[in-house]
Amino acid sequence: MAKIADFLKVPGYNARRAAESTDSDRDKLEEELAKIDAEYDKAAGGSRLPDPPEYEKLVYDAPGDEEIAARAAEELEAERVAGVEKIESDSAAAKAAKETERTAAAERAEQTKREISDSYDAAVKAFASDALSRGLARSSVAVNKTAELESGRARALSEAAAEAEAAASAIDGELAALEAARVQALNSFDIAHAAKVTQRISELTEEREKRREEVLKYNNELLEQANKDARDKAALESDLYTEYLNQLKLSGELGSSDPAASARNSAKYEAVRNYLLAMNKSDAAEAVRTDDLVRGSLTDYYYYKLYNEFCK
């Protein structure tokens, strides 16, 4: 059925209005009406559901290769120090025992020399006393016997010295062997320790990569869940808004039974009315009768309310 406004339109009026009023006022009204519609649409459909929960991603500060190597060395440092100390301690104890043995051998050699000299001194003294008592002190027999005794002393002392030197040489050889064993033990220990450090680096690197994979998997699952939540929310909001609009459509007039829509229509009425009040009376009446923006923005109720105010 035709409405009153359809009979009141004056052909060519929109062109005359563009010349009689400033474009900026009408543009401002159009912007304000669009803003009201946007705010209404947002209130009607965009905020029906709360935002999905925010998931906190895991952050893993993965150690670098140098950091892992330093950690492995640090973890095994106490073991390295203890191992080196034991090797050095055992070697020092063995060397000390040999040094003690060397000292004891040297003391025994000196004691043997003193005993040999004392023994020969006693023999020479006894022979001299016997030769004197027999009147042979200056005889060739006495001289030869004394020379024989001194020669025996010299041989005995030489043999004792040779034995002492052989014993000392044997101990020197054992000390050299102990030093070689110490060096070998340290080298073997260093090799074994380096292998342990390498193994520990491998373990720590494997742990790092495993942790990286776990964190990546967890964060990817969170991202998938967040995306799903967003899709579900958008789909549900779309369904709710479509249902909402259908219900309004079935009610006969959009906004007639909805408080939010009524508020929007009232706000648009106030915006148009303020726009008309800024004009002179005749221009306002012409706008009410013929301006599509005015008519198209209002429900029948608000349009006829303005028509009664400005056109009668």
Side-chain angles (χ1 to χ4, degrees):
M1 182 177 69
K3 299 179 181 179
I4 295 175
D6 295 332
F7 295 102
L8 295 177
K9 286 186 177 181
V10 178
Y13 172 76
N14 286 337
R16 294 199 304 273
R17 273 295 288 133
E20 294 172 359
S21 64
T22 61
D23 290 338
S24 61
D25 289 340
R26 193 172 184 278
D27 290 342
K28 289 179 181 178
L29 173 62
E30 189 171 2
E31 290 176 2
E32 185 173 357
L33 293 173
K35 181 178 180 182
I36 292 171
D37 280 335
E39 291 178 351
Y40 167 76
D41 290 340
K42 180 179 179 181
S47 302
R48 289 184 178 273
L49 297 176
D51 291 334
E54 293 186 3
Y55 301 104
E56 184 176 356
K57 290 185 177 181
L58 292 178
V59 177
Y60 175 50
D61 186 12
D65 292 342
E66 292 183 359
E67 186 177 351
I68 285 179
R71 177 181 169 185
E74 182 180 357
E75 288 181 358
L76 297 172
E77 178 62 14
E79 178 182 322
R80 186 194 70 79
V81 171
V84 171
E85 287 180 349
K86 186 175 187 309
I87 292 172
E88 295 288 6
S89 177
D90 291 347
S91 178
K95 288 180 179 179
K98 287 301 174 182
E99 291 293 347
T100 299
E101 185 178 340
R102 180 209 290 274
T103 300
E107 290 177 351
R108 287 195 301 273
E110 291 300 321
Q111 178 65 28
T112 299
K113 290 178 182 180
R114 286 194 296 272
E115 290 174 353
I116 290 173
S117 292
D118 291 344
S119 175
Y120 275 93
D121 285 344
V124 170
K125 184 178 181 180
F127 175 76
S129 177
D130 180 66
L132 181 63
S133 65
R134 294 168 59 190
L136 299 174
R138 296 183 180 275
S139 67
S140 60
V141 174
V143 172
N144 290 336
K145 185 62 176 179
T146 300
E148 182 182 346
L149 289 173
E150 291 297 337
S151 177
R153 182 206 301 268
R155 284 194 302 273
L157 290 175
S158 178
E159 291 173 0
E163 289 176 1
E165 184 176 351
S169 179
I171 291 174
D172 286 341
E174 291 173 356
L175 286 171
L178 288 174
E179 175 60 18
R182 182 188 75 85
V183 173
Q184 179 60 41
L186 287 174
N187 290 339
S188 298
F189 179 81
D190 286 344
I191 293 172
H193 180 75
K196 285 186 177 181
V197 172
T198 300
Q199 177 62 29
R200 185 56 181 153
I201 289 174
S202 177
E203 293 172 354
L204 291 174
T205 301
E206 184 177 349
E207 291 175 8
R208 177 187 66 186
E209 298 310 313
K210 182 179 179 181
R211 181 58 177 162
R212 274 179 172 168
E213 292 176 359
E214 290 174 349
V215 170
L216 180 61
K217 180 181 178 182
Y218 178 81
N219 288 339
N220 285 340
E221 290 174 351
L222 286 189
L223 180 59
E224 291 178 3
Q225 185 61 47
N227 291 336
K228 181 178 182 300
D229 290 347
R231 291 192 301 270
D232 291 346
K233 177 178 181 290
L236 183 55
E237 285 179 345
S238 178
D239 291 344
L240 291 173
Y241 188 50
T242 300
E243 181 181 355
Y244 173 78
L245 293 179
N246 289 336
Q247 289 175 353
L248 291 180
K249 183 176 181 181
L250 291 174
S251 70
E253 181 184 15
L254 188 63
S256 63
S257 61
D258 182 72
S262 297
R264 178 194 68 164
N265 292 331
S266 177
K268 295 175 76 172
Y269 163 76
E270 293 296 334
V272 173
R273 185 172 182 273
N274 290 334
Y275 167 70
L276 296 173
L277 289 173
M279 301 179 183
N280 60 52
K281 185 175 181 180
S282 62
D283 288 343
E286 287 294 324
V288 172
R289 292 190 185 98
T290 62
D291 194 333
D292 291 338
L293 179 62
V294 173
R295 181 64 188 95
S297 301
L298 303 174
T299 63
D300 287 348
Y301 169 78
Y302 283 117
Y303 176 75
Y304 291 122
K305 186 175 181 180
L306 285 180
Y307 183 87
N308 289 332
E309 179 179 357
F310 290 96
C311 299
K312 288 187 177 181

